[in-house]
Amino acid sequence: MWKVGRIINEADTCRKYVIPRLTQAGWDEPPHSFAEQKTFTDGRIVVAGSKASRGPQKRADYLLQYTRDFTVAVVEAKAAYKSPGTGLQQAKDYAEVLGLKFAYATNGEGIVEFDYLTGLERELDAFPEPDELWKRLRGGQGLDDETADRLLTPSHHLTGKSPRYYQEIAINRVVQAVLQGERRVLLTMATGTGKTVVAFQICWKLWSSRWNRTGEHRRSRILYLADRNVLVDDPKDKVFMPFGAARWKIENGHISKGREMYFAIYQAVAEDERRPGLYREFAPDFFDLIVVDECHRGSARDESNWREILEYFEPAYQLGMTATPLRSDNRATYRYFGNPVYQYSLKQGIEDGFLAPYRVHRVVTTVDAAGWRPSRGELDRYGREVPDEDYHTKDFEKVVALRSRTQAIARHLTDFLKGTDRFAKTIVFCVDQEHADEMRRALNNLNADLVRKHPDYVCRVTADEGQIGRGHLSRFQELETATPTILTTSQLLTKGVDAPMCKNVVLARVVGAMTELDQIIGRGTRVRDDYGKLFFNILDYTGSATCLFADPEFDGDPALITEEEIDASGESVSITYQPGEGGADLFAEPPGEYDLAPLGETDIRRRKYYVDGGQVEIAAHLVHEFDADGRQLRVVRFTDYAAEKVRTLYPSAAEIRERWADPAGRSEVIALLEERGIDFDELTRASNQPDTDPFDLLCHLAFNAPLRTRRERADRLRNEKKDFFDHYGPEARAVLEELLEKYAEHGAAQFVIPDVLKVPPISGHGNVREIAGLFGGPEELREAIHQLQKLLYAA
């Protein structure tokens, strides 16, 4: 008689074969190690309606680490009955994401290796030993003994937070580039991905390994440069704290030459009309490394005063860090520093689940849609005649300030918060400080009920507020403070502000540059699972974001874009808005200065016309979906979008009916649609069909099937399938009737057992065990409810 053995699956392969062979090769002997079932992404956040969930994480079977901070290879294991190379493509995919040069696949017996250094694939009898792989890696990348030893310098782990996979790649790539003599190095990482942590680890490894430009026996002297105090003070006092007394901030004209980790803002050390450059107090060769944070903001431009500082310290190695990929408006940065040694984009961060996805609401006021023209002889607030011109979005708050437009935006934003979360932290970007104050006042008055309890519910944070504004900002940044909830600003908060709980980014001014949009989006991309912050909204009142998202250079596609226009009565109006149309006009500056009426001494700040009268209304939801290439936007209604996704998953109504009638299949349909951003509550609202069964709504939208309400389905089942109910005794039949009535009132969620059996009126028939007894037992009860659902959706 044949004896049939159990098939050895992937888990068996790992446990019985792979681990012993890795151990035999020496991968468990310190400092070498291997990480088993290593998850290296968090899983993309999928937004469906007001809900968010995580997609699958990426997980490698084994990562081979030459040291704790230096991974060299990935291993994918498959079941013993499969060929050894079955998992090689997956191993190669992971190796490319993780920046590794060696990928292995095995079925426990055979081993297949792919070597990225040589491009060769070969079969092996055993895994290479750690020193063999390290020798091959060193040879392939030209690492001498001293460079290799310093490259393996441990990172700082006392914080208990190890670098993410992309941070580890960035750290090692930059350190290796510096050790191998690259004088200018560029690192491009999206806002919110931890550039400051990466910079700290780079500095720490070089400093603690006693690397320096001259090869002397001393620690590195490093200068960390930025253009705002918040970008210097926060890293110095928090992330770089392990440097201890080695830290020094150059400010107020005071320098020290006895420290090693220096911090400064350009303005504090640069030359100006009042003083020579303080940076000249240091010898040109004093610093070994200069780290330039947010280097796209002017430091590398040929004409920049800050460029003088970098050129003065030309002997130093220079690391530029930016959140912005190469654009037409930041080419000088890339010319100066060269191509990045590593790039981690906004799009990749969202895909990995480390950054929050976002929804874009395009909101159009009547004056933004059609323009505004003053009546003949109309005077502004100060008695000046407003020139008879057509004014458009680019002119508002620059040439002419329309109070009614600001109030309309404030009303719409207030209503949006009332419909979502009134304490969701929100940043409103205005045209200038004056506009920010006007917006603050309008929002304050529209939310007076909350302001009575929380006087700081709405605050302006601009340069004018000084320390008071910084206090508002500091409280806004805290995780557990409710207020300030809304901050109005102009330029101050566009960059360098870590606000992890920011859930709404509001554009009340034109954003014409892609680099600036990248920075503004970064205010909301932080993820905090522990506080329920998984996505955020962009409310675009000027069309800036919507147009720029259609630009081929943009690298972080939104999860959803809606466009809203409301008429004077507050009713939705169907409009068509094609992103990118008229974009040049939208972002163009006015052709020339307007000839303002003469100003008196007290009117010196009145640099635009102020119109207080008139009425401005706001404006329907459309969903902008990305085409298959992920670039071009096209306009579709949310209901059309849902219909298309249903047809993609289920080619016919019969196919989706078969899945929907089965509870497990229904759960699968719901999950697949949620993965594509379709939430039934939102779909019901968008279609204005609150009483329709979700199945009928899907079939109606996708296949033009007739709509039925839940009540109609329930009544039809009672009238046409009486024999089903007659099969059961009187009390069991009553339970089924009550279940059907609950469905008619509330939907298919009422078929979840045993929960529904514990609530009236069904609970009046006894406890769960007693109710099951009416049907002959638990299995019979389950089968009865299953059959009820099949008949309910039979036609």
Side-chain angles (χ1 to χ4, degrees):
M1 180 181 291
W2 292 99
K3 184 176 181 180
V4 180
R6 186 172 67 86
I7 295 176
I8 297 179
N9 58 28
E10 185 174 316
D12 295 328
T13 301
C14 292
R15 185 176 62 255
K16 293 184 178 180
Y17 300 107
V18 181
I19 292 177
R21 300 187 77 172
L22 288 173
T23 302
Q24 185 179 5
W27 285 102
D28 66 336
E29 298 176 8
H32 320 305
S33 62
F34 59 86
E36 185 178 5
Q37 297 298 308
K38 178 67 173 180
T39 298
F40 56 91
T41 71
D42 281 356
R44 184 186 179 110
I45 298 168
V46 180
V47 182
S50 59
K51 305 170 188 173
S53 59
R54 291 275 188 182
Q57 300 170 313
K58 290 182 179 178
R59 184 177 63 191
D61 287 338
Y62 299 94
L63 293 179
L64 308 187
Q65 299 165 320
Y66 190 73
T67 66
R68 176 179 179 179
D69 303 314
F70 208 97
T71 304
V72 292
V74 60
V75 179
E76 281 300 306
K78 296 300 178 184
Y81 63 86
K82 295 184 178 182
S83 66
T86 302
L88 186 62
Q89 187 55 56
Q90 185 178 353
K92 289 171 68 176
D93 289 345
Y94 286 170
E96 289 164 20
V97 171
L98 296 169
L100 305 177
K101 299 302 181 185
F102 304 103
Y104 296 91
T106 180
N107 64 353
E109 292 292 331
I111 300 170
V112 178
E113 175 194 77
F114 184 81
D115 182 342
Y116 280 88
L117 297 171
T118 63
L120 297 177
E121 180 178 322
R122 58 178 183 151
E123 295 183 350
L124 305 175
D125 295 325
F127 287 107
E129 295 181 355
D131 286 338
E132 178 192 339
L133 271 194
W134 181 237
K135 182 179 180 181
R136 288 163 61 186
L137 184 63
R138 284 183 54 181
Q141 298 192 336
L143 302 175
D144 59 34
D145 291 344
E146 184 178 358
T147 298
D149 288 345
R150 286 197 165 117
L151 186 59
L152 296 177
T153 301
S155 297
H156 188 277
H157 288 278
L158 293 182
T159 58
K161 198 172 184 181
S162 297
R164 293 169 174 166
Y165 84 86
Y166 64 87
Q167 293 172 331
E168 184 176 308
I169 297 172
I171 293 162
N172 289 330
R173 292 258 179 102
V174 172
V175 170
Q176 181 174 331
V178 170
L179 293 175
Q180 291 186 309
E182 290 190 36
R183 305 302 290 265
R184 294 178 183 173
V185 182
L186 182 64
L187 191 58
T188 303
M189 295 175 63
T191 300
T193 56
K195 289 193 300 297
T196 305
V197 171
V198 169
F200 162 74
Q201 295 288 6
I202 291 167
C203 294
W204 180 265
K205 286 169 79 83
L206 293 173
W207 180 78
S208 56
S209 69
R210 295 184 178 272
W211 166 86
N212 58 73
R213 184 179 49 80
T214 58
E216 301 171 81
H217 184 68
R218 61 173 177 82
R219 295 189 186 274
S220 318
R221 289 195 290 262
I222 303 171
L223 173 61
Y224 187 99
L225 268 179
D227 69 341
R228 295 191 179 182
N229 278 307
V230 68
L231 298 179
V232 165
D233 294 341
D234 214 45
K236 179 181 76 72
D237 297 336
K238 296 177 182 176
V239 180
F240 282 75
M241 187 179 291
F243 278 92
R247 294 169 296 163
W248 179 265
K249 183 182 179 185
I250 304 170
E251 59 182 341
N252 301 323
H254 301 303
I255 68 168
S256 170
K257 296 184 180 180
R259 307 301 177 97
E260 292 153 344
M261 189 68 236
Y262 292 82
F263 298 84
I265 61 171
Y266 296 105
Q267 298 89 326
V269 297
E271 180 178 351
D272 58 32
E273 64 278 2
R274 296 179 289 108
R275 64 187 181 190
L278 188 62
Y279 65 88
R280 296 182 184 276
E281 296 291 322
F282 296 94
D285 61 356
F286 181 81
F287 293 109
D288 300 296
L289 174 68
I290 297 179
V291 179
V292 186
D293 191 19
E294 305 291 2
C295 64
H296 63 275
R297 292 213 296 274
S299 60
R301 292 178 188 161
D302 294 336
E303 70 277 9
S304 170
N305 289 334
W306 302 344
R307 173 74 169 265
E308 294 179 8
I309 301 172
L310 300 183
E311 290 178 343
Y312 177 80
F313 292 117
E314 190 275 335
Y317 287 69
Q318 297 177 8
L319 166 63
M321 298 192 303
T322 179
T324 310
L326 177 63
R327 311 271 197 230
S328 57
D329 56 353
N330 67 350
R331 293 188 183 278
T333 299
Y334 284 76
R335 276 198 303 269
Y336 183 83
F337 287 102
N339 292 326
V341 294
Y342 184 64
Q343 182 165 326
Y344 189 74
S345 67
L346 173 65
K347 186 174 184 178
Q348 188 62 51
I350 292 174
E351 185 65 35
D352 286 343
F354 296 128
L355 296 180
Y358 49 93
R359 283 184 154 176
V360 181
H361 304 258
R362 173 65 176 108
V363 186
V364 187
T365 73
T366 51
V367 294
D368 287 277
W372 179 83
R373 188 168 186 169
S375 56
R376 185 180 298 275
E378 183 169 354
L379 303 180
D380 81 342
R381 185 186 305 165
Y382 300 104
R384 297 171 298 169
E385 184 174 338
V386 183
D388 185 15
E389 304 278 353
D390 283 323
Y391 298 94
H392 298 277
T393 302
K394 66 182 184 297
D395 306 314
F396 298 141
E397 301 302 327
K398 284 192 171 183
V399 179
V400 59
L402 301 180
R403 176 172 286 176
S404 54
R405 177 177 178 267
T406 298
Q407 291 175 339
I409 292 173
R411 271 198 310 275
H412 181 272
L413 176 57
T414 298
D415 290 341
F416 178 84
L417 292 174
K418 287 179 177 178
T420 52
D421 177 5
R422 294 187 76 182
F423 285 97
K425 291 188 175 180
T426 302
I427 301 177
V428 185
F429 291 95
C430 302
V431 173
D432 53 27
Q433 297 191 44
E434 189 177 29
H435 186 213
D437 190 52
E438 186 84 15
M439 185 67 72
R440 179 201 58 77
R441 185 176 302 109
L443 288 166
N444 181 94
N445 294 340
L446 288 165
N447 293 277
D449 57 324
L450 292 182
V451 175
R452 282 197 300 269
K453 300 176 184 176
H454 308 281
D456 62 344
Y457 179 74
V458 189
C459 296
R460 185 181 75 155
V461 176
T462 63
D464 282 357
E465 275 77 26
Q467 282 297 124
I468 295 175
R470 280 192 282 273
H472 292 322
L473 175 58
S474 178
R475 292 192 300 278
F476 182 85
Q477 291 176 283
E478 293 177 14
L479 290 169
E480 298 185 357
T481 57
T483 59
T485 301
I486 305 174
L487 297 185
T488 66
T489 187
S490 54
Q491 297 286 340
L492 192 63
L493 304 185
T494 55
K495 50 251 181 183
V497 175
D498 186 3
M501 291 304 293
C502 180
K503 294 184 178 180
N504 299 304
V505 173
V506 180
L507 299 179
R509 67 171 172 88
V510 170
V511 179
M514 191 78 71
T515 52
E516 186 178 16
L517 180 64
D518 286 337
Q519 294 291 321
I520 287 174
I521 289 175
R523 301 314 106 218
T525 53
R526 271 72 171 183
V527 174
R528 288 304 301 245
D529 292 75
D530 48 346
Y531 285 87
K533 161 69 186 304
L534 292 170
F535 69 97
F536 68 104
N537 297 290
I538 298 176
L539 284 84
D540 181 9
Y541 293 94
T542 65
S544 302
T546 320
C547 285
L548 289 173
F549 289 146
D551 192 303
E553 287 189 339
F554 186 68
D555 74 332
D557 306 338
L560 182 71
I561 299 182
T562 66
E563 179 175 310
E564 184 167 350
E565 185 173 336
I566 302 171
D567 63 17
S569 63
E571 295 296 321
S572 295
V573 177
S574 176
I575 65 171
T576 300
Y577 174 86
Q578 292 293 343
E581 289 184 359
D585 289 338
L586 177 63
F587 298 137
E589 291 298 321
E593 291 296 323
Y594 283 79
D595 185 18
L596 297 181
L599 301 177
E601 291 183 6
T602 58
D603 297 332
I604 194 67
R605 295 185 63 189
R606 297 174 193 163
R607 51 190 173 77
K608 50 190 172 185
Y609 293 98
Y610 300 83
V611 179
D612 296 340
Q615 183 178 3
V616 176
E617 298 294 334
I618 302 272
H621 265 106
L622 297 178
V623 177
H624 295 242
E625 187 194 7
F626 281 89
D627 286 333
D629 61 6
R631 294 291 185 186
Q632 296 298 320
L633 285 167
R634 57 192 179 87
V635 183
V636 293
R637 293 185 181 277
F638 182 54
T639 49
D640 295 338
Y641 169 80
E644 182 175 331
K645 292 305 176 187
V646 170
R647 288 193 294 270
T648 300
L649 291 168
Y650 307 100
S652 68
E655 190 169 337
I656 190 174
R657 184 191 309 278
E658 181 181 354
R659 301 299 299 152
W660 193 268
D662 177 67
R666 188 184 314 138
S667 298
E668 178 188 299
V669 172
I670 293 171
L672 288 172
L673 292 175
E674 284 184 346
E675 286 178 9
R676 288 152 180 79
I678 299 169
D679 173 72
F680 282 112
D681 291 337
E682 185 177 355
L683 189 60
T684 299
R685 286 193 297 271
S687 58
N688 196 26
Q689 297 291 339
D691 299 324
T692 301
D693 189 289
F695 166 75
D696 290 297
L697 183 56
L698 292 176
C699 288
H700 174 71
L701 295 175
F703 308 108
N704 203 29
L707 278 172
R708 288 195 183 98
T709 65
R710 295 188 299 274
R711 175 66 62 189
E712 288 172 336
R713 277 202 172 274
D715 289 346
R716 183 173 178 174
L717 178 58
R718 288 190 184 99
N719 295 331
E720 296 183 3
K721 299 294 180 180
K722 292 182 178 179
D723 55 333
F724 167 72
F725 294 96
D726 291 343
H727 180 72
Y728 299 96
E731 197 166 2
R733 192 161 57 242
V735 170
L736 293 175
E737 288 278 3
E738 289 162 1
L739 271 174
L740 196 57
E741 184 61 26
K742 277 189 170 292
Y743 156 78
E745 292 180 3
H746 305 292
Q750 302 305 311
F751 294 127
V752 177
I753 54 174
D755 299 0
V756 70
L757 306 180
K758 301 175 183 178
V759 295
I762 300 175
S763 59
H765 297 279
N767 60 34
V768 173
R769 182 183 297 274
E770 291 169 337
I771 293 172
L774 300 176
F775 292 82
E779 288 303 316
E780 288 79 0
L781 168 64
R782 195 178 302 276
E783 177 58 29
I785 295 176
H786 180 74
Q787 187 64 22
L788 177 69
Q789 294 175 76
K790 286 187 67 174
L791 294 173
L792 184 65
Y793 293 109

